[in-house]
């Protein structure tokens, strides 16, 4: 994971993953999200935060469908506006 955190009260671990346009729809990302998205602690799924460029939301949909993670409450999508991801001229 790109980042992880532990909740102070119950020790639950959460994962965060950030993906670029070129790194969403591939076998490595699918394997990575499958593992992180199905990790459980205390009989509950660990939260997974996934940040992608807004223009890549549909590509992320396909990956989440294929990995069985689409629509799950513990998977949090962050669609970052593309303009914030471009380098200044």
């Amino acid at each position: 994971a790109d980042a992880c955190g532990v909740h102070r009260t119950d020790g639950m671990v959460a994962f965060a993953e950030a993906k670029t346009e070129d790194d969403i729809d591939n076998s490595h990302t699918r394997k990575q999200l499958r593992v992180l998205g199905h990790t459980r602690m205390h009989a509950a799924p660990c939260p997974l935060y996934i940040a992608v460029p807004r223009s890549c939301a549909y590509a992320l949909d396909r990956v989440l469908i294929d990995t069985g993670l689409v629509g799950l409450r513990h998977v949090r999508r962050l669609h970052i506006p593309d303009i914030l991801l471009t380098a200044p001229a």
Side-chain angles (χ1 to χ4, degrees):
D2 290 323
C4 62
V6 179
H7 195 282
R8 287 185 194 187
T9 307
D10 63 6
M12 176 64 82
V13 174
F15 302 103
E17 206 36 65
K19 295 295 177 185
T20 63
E21 180 179 3
D22 298 330
D23 193 32
I24 296 173
D25 194 359
N26 61 56
S27 61
H28 171 75
T29 294
R30 289 169 192 273
K31 182 177 180 181
Q32 190 177 41
L33 295 182
R34 193 174 287 118
V35 169
L36 296 175
H38 292 289
T39 300
R40 301 177 74 80
M41 287 184 69
H42 313 296
C46 294
L48 173 60
Y49 298 85
I50 308 169
V52 298
R54 183 173 287 146
S55 64
C56 300
Y58 293 118
L60 180 59
D61 286 341
R62 288 191 302 274
V63 172
L64 293 178
I65 289 167
D66 291 349
T67 56
L69 297 172
V70 72
L72 298 182
R73 293 181 62 177
H74 71 284
V75 177
R76 310 283 169 71
R77 304 166 59 124
L78 303 160
H79 298 161
I80 310 303
D82 292 59
I83 192 74
L84 296 177
L85 303 173
T86 57

